[in-house]
């Protein structure tokens, strides 16, 4: 099935808006075994839109369109598509009422000109919009389909998931399934060495998806006509991969490392605090981003100055002088001081040189020490990162969460 | 000048990689008065690439291509483009030496197959790559141009800035200039009310560019053939806009609010500390992201639990009980406690309900209190945000930095 995506909007071609819809649609299609073959971006310009629709209709089986369905004068997708199919726009009372009801529910007045959204192509099927008021458009002609969705990400995502994807699934008799293994604390190259030749799990395919903030995600995929058979083969392959890298897997689903950590803490009734120097609040921020983090995350210290390390974490002035703020000794003292001062069960500390300045020959930019401590003692690791300031900060926060996760696993 | 961008890469169509190059190129072109008319994304597939090149060469004056210039088997942009122009790939000794020297300089061995990058189309001009080893390709035929650049963002950006942009400028006799006014603490609609009818500054055009983390940026633009005249008219328009909204402008250049704040603190010799509850380290992280922040930023407290607010910031237990953690009183006590406990000159505090849970009828999700305090006293503001958890956190961090900036301006 050849799928083409047309993204519409001057704001994207002017560089004012980063188009994230294409990436989201591409990964959703991949996830369900479909393949996006072409993407094009055109402006709010009837002629360019018409030409691109012509080309797409000639070569693709499915055309997805995003953007330009709203009520303002530059939203021209609806009339342009209707004209492309030689169709007429007709005021539909049911849509008009439905659109009005969306505003009534939010207790706000409809914006000027909202009625235009109820003028709908007579041969198309409206796609209701769960998160907004502009209906989507579905044409099904000569066994080809066109789906037009709004450009607002949440509205597009709702329509894609609830309407477009089920329609696409109807068009195929193939199943496409996959399993996810999320790993942390190991790079892509080392994982690949442990796993060995991917041919061993054929016909299952294996993709490595690395990320600075989330480790390496492995995706095992298989397509076929027999859902049960696919499940069996995938499960075998997953078992094989798991056995070779089990200690690095933190999730077999789309959940984050910080969520895994917070759940482990909560199930053990433990409280966590963090002490950050170069990461400067990044680790705390990742934890607090998770709803419910207050159950286990007690507090964070961003002890950027030496004075703060002394006052908040009881790091000794002598130690800071003799070893320097970026040292294994100070990292340990920060983590132990955090357990003590915050009265928590476990703590992680980070101290390092993020750059671009502040490095020396002995202690270069990218040198980071991370320590984990509980009431009984601690662990310390040295890292050497080679990115820019903020990449080093992100890698440090990730490494600190990995150490914390490893420590928590050790309790089991 | 009609400009078309062709982005090449299976990883983008599979959704594995978010294409950020298109957005960057679009905004760079806008910035220099050029307009990107079409973007298309095709896979590592010679037939799709050839068709898109054909179409682009027929309708555009300038074609930009990104991706597929590396040494591996799926990098096919170089041969496909050469074939498109009926050109031959010829091994160029100068390029071969240059590519080798790039690896020598980094003290690493060239990857297998690197020599292929020196096989260059005989009628094209190589574009040297400052940040990598794959040369770019420049064709100039029949007054039309094609520029092919690598997909790695830093390599593409270097080539675009140092080579492509100067070449494009040669093709036009028009100047396009703009001025930037960065504002904070006021929404787009209110700014627009203060500024009034944009026709007042015609022929200068005014764009509003809002962002959750950086306030609203205003961009004044003008094109013409006389650079000096453009400067004069722009300056007048800028003066007019400035006079109506001066108190909200924090920069007339591309610098961030946190950088402005850190510079103000440094020039006054003041030390800053922050206390965060719902933002959970986000504000500290934005400050620490700025190189040199250690000169003025002393520390941060992520006092997520009540115990932490009591222990680290000396907030009284009675106050927490009588007013609740999310209250104006506690926000003030947190800011004043931070000044006291950290021994700094000025402090900001944030306490609020980010959501999705934790709200009540009296204190709903999105309710946030922010206080600023110095040795003499403080200021407090209440906010009601309506986003999801992390949008509320980002808006809170921005609002806190705005309050801090306003307080610092008051000292002058």
């Amino acid at each position: 099935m050849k799928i083409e995506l047309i993204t519409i909007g001057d704001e994207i071609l002017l560089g004012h808006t980063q188009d994230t819809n294409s990436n989201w649609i591409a990964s959703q299609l991949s996830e369900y075994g479909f393949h996006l073959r072409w993407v094009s971006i055109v402006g709010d310009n009837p002629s360019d839109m018409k030409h691109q629709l012509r080309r797409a209709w000639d070569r693709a089986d499915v055309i997805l369109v995003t953007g330009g369905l709203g009520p303002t004068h530059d939203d021209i997708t609806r009339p342009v598509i209707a004209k492309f199919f030689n169709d007429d726009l007709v005021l539909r009372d049911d849509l008009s009422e439905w659109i009005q009801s969306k505003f009534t529910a939010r207790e706000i007045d409809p914006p000027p000109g909202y009625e235009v959204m109820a003028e709908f192509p007579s041969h198309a099927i409206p796609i209701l919009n769960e998160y907004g008021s502009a209906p989507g458009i579905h044409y099904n002609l000569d066994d080809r389909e066109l789906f037009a969705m709004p450009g607002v990400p949440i509205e597009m995502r709702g329509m894609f998931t609830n309407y477009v994807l089920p329609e696409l699934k109807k068009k195929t008799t193939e199943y496409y399934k996959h399993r996810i293994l999320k790993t942390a604390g190991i790079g892509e190259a080392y994982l690949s060495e442990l796993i060995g030749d991917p041919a061993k799990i054929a016909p299952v395919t294996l993709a490595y998806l690395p990320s600075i903030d989330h480790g390496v995600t492995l995706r095992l995929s298989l397509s076929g006509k027999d859902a049960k058979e696919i499940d069996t083969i995938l499960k075998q392959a997953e078992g094989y991969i798991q056995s070779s890298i089990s200690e690095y897997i933190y999730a077999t689903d789309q959940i984050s490392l910080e969520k895994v950590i917070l759940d482990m803490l909560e199930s053990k009734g433990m409280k966590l605090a963090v002490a950050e120097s170069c990461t400067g609040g990044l680790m705390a921020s990742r934890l607090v981003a998770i709803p419910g983090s207050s159950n286990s995350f007690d507090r964070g210290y961003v002890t950027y100055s030496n004075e703060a390390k002394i006052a908040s974490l009881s790091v000794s002035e002598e130690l800071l002088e003799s070893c320097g703020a970026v040292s294994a000794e100070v990292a340990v003292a920060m983590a132990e001081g955090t357990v003590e001062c915050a009265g928590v069960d476990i703590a992680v500390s980070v101290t390092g040189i993020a750059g671009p300045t502040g490095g020396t020959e002995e202690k270069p930019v990218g040198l980071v020490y991370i320590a984990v401590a509980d009431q009984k003692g601690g662990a310390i690791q040295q890292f050497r990162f080679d990115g820019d300031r903020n990449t080093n900060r992100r890698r440090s926060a990730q490494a600190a969460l990995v150490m914390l996760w490893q420590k928590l696993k050790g309790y089991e």
Side-chain angles (χ1 to χ4, degrees), chain A:
Chain A
M1 196 190 305
K2 293 181 201 157
I3 305 179
E4 173 149 8
L5 169 63
I6 304 175
T7 300
I8 290 163
D10 280 345
E11 70 282 9
I12 299 169
L13 292 176
L14 287 167
H16 295 172
T17 303
Q18 161 81 54
D19 164 37
T20 56
N21 286 344
S22 305
N23 178 249
W24 188 86
I25 289 173
S27 53
Q28 284 290 304
L29 288 172
S30 286
E31 183 139 350
Y32 292 96
F34 300 102
H35 178 47
L36 182 60
R37 175 118 176 225
W38 302 280
V39 175
S40 37
I41 308 174
V42 296
D44 304 318
N45 167 334
S47 156
D48 285 354
M49 284 170 64
K50 201 186 72 193
H51 281 110
Q52 195 59 43
L53 282 169
R54 176 82 274 145
R55 185 172 167 84
W57 196 250
D58 287 345
R59 65 182 178 183
D61 303 303
V62 172
I63 305 179
L64 306 173
V65 178
T66 60
L69 290 182
T72 67
H73 69 279
D74 54 351
D75 290 313
I76 55 173
T77 300
R78 196 173 28 251
V80 168
I81 288 179
K83 199 166 171 201
F84 176 75
F85 287 114
N86 290 314
D87 201 353
D88 294 313
L89 293 175
V90 177
L91 180 70
R92 281 181 57 157
D93 291 336
D94 59 336
L95 283 182
S96 178
E97 271 171 41
W98 178 84
I99 293 166
Q100 279 189 55
S101 74
K102 296 290 281 189
F103 293 104
T104 315
R106 287 163 63 199
E107 296 181 358
I108 57 175
D109 291 328
Y114 79 95
E115 306 88 349
V116 81
M117 295 190 291
E119 290 172 11
F120 203 77
S122 67
H123 292 99
I125 306 156
I127 310 175
L128 294 190
N129 186 340
E130 202 177 329
Y131 301 99
S133 53
I137 301 169
H138 177 196
Y139 272 100
N140 180 340
L141 287 173
D142 312 330
D143 209 31
R144 275 171 294 173
E145 321 254 349
L146 176 141
F147 301 92
M149 297 168 277
V152 179
I154 187 172
E155 301 182 22
M156 181 280 290
R157 293 178 185 200
M159 278 192 198
F160 185 89
T161 304
N162 299 329
Y163 187 94
V164 178
L165 200 54
E167 289 290 323
L168 293 182
K169 283 181 184 167
K170 281 187 208 162
K171 287 177 77 81
T172 175
T173 56
E174 286 258 308
Y175 290 92
Y176 183 86
K177 299 198 167 199
H178 62 88
R179 303 223 174 212
I180 289 288
L181 296 173
K182 298 189 81 175
T183 73
I186 182 168
E188 196 178 344
Y190 296 96
L191 270 179
S192 151
E193 215 172 291
L194 288 177
I195 291 171
D197 187 355
K200 284 186 229 167
I201 55 164
V204 174
T205 59
L206 177 63
Y208 291 83
L209 313 171
S211 132
I212 291 179
D213 307 302
H214 306 290
V216 180
T217 298
L218 299 177
R219 193 174 59 196
L220 296 99
S221 311
L222 184 62
S223 60
K225 297 205 180 293
D226 183 339
K228 216 173 152 188
E229 192 186 57
I230 296 174
D231 279 335
T232 311
I233 301 175
L234 268 181
K235 210 173 167 183
Q236 277 172 1
E238 188 187 359
Y240 172 77
I241 301 284
Q242 279 213 355
S243 67
S244 51
I245 57 162
S246 62
E247 65 187 297
Y248 301 104
I249 298 170
Y250 65 86
T252 54
D253 210 334
Q254 284 296 10
I255 64 170
S256 64
L257 182 57
E258 44 273 39
K259 171 76 175 140
V260 169
I261 289 170
L262 289 165
D263 286 349
M264 288 169 96
L265 289 165
E266 197 167 347
S267 75
K268 295 182 207 312
M270 290 174 75
K271 292 282 181 189
L272 165 71
V274 302
E276 308 182 58
S277 188
C278 64
T279 47
L282 204 51
M283 191 179 11
S285 188
R286 281 183 58 178
L287 291 160
V288 171
I290 307 296
S293 47
S294 54
N295 295 335
S296 319
F297 179 69
D298 186 79
R299 73 187 77 175
Y301 301 95
V302 182
T303 51
Y304 210 48
S305 66
N306 279 351
E307 292 70 34
K309 293 181 184 79
I310 297 165
S312 296
L313 308 175
S314 307
V315 176
S316 88
E317 205 171 338
E318 294 71 39
L319 193 70
L320 283 163
E321 260 171 37
S322 60
C323 303
V326 178
S327 61
E329 292 81 358
V330 167
V332 170
M334 284 169 69
E336 290 178 353
T338 303
V339 168
E340 184 73 23
C341 300
V344 291
D345 305 292
I346 191 163
V348 200
S349 68
V350 184
T351 180
I353 302 160
T357 59
T360 63
E361 198 157 318
E362 210 182 317
K363 296 189 176 178
V365 166
L367 178 71
V368 175
Y369 293 95
I370 301 177
V372 181
D374 58 17
Q375 314 258 2
K376 291 184 209 132
I380 172 79
Q381 262 187 265
Q382 180 190 298
F383 296 86
R384 281 285 303 274
F385 299 116
D386 61 358
D388 61 16
R389 180 176 181 87
N390 285 313
T391 306
N392 290 338
R393 294 177 63 231
R394 286 164 62 192
R395 290 201 190 279
S396 302
Q398 172 68 7
L401 290 173
V402 170
M403 278 185 69
L404 176 58
W405 169 63
Q406 286 166 340
K407 179 84 179 172
L408 289 171
K409 282 200 299 177
Y411 293 141
E412 276 162 6

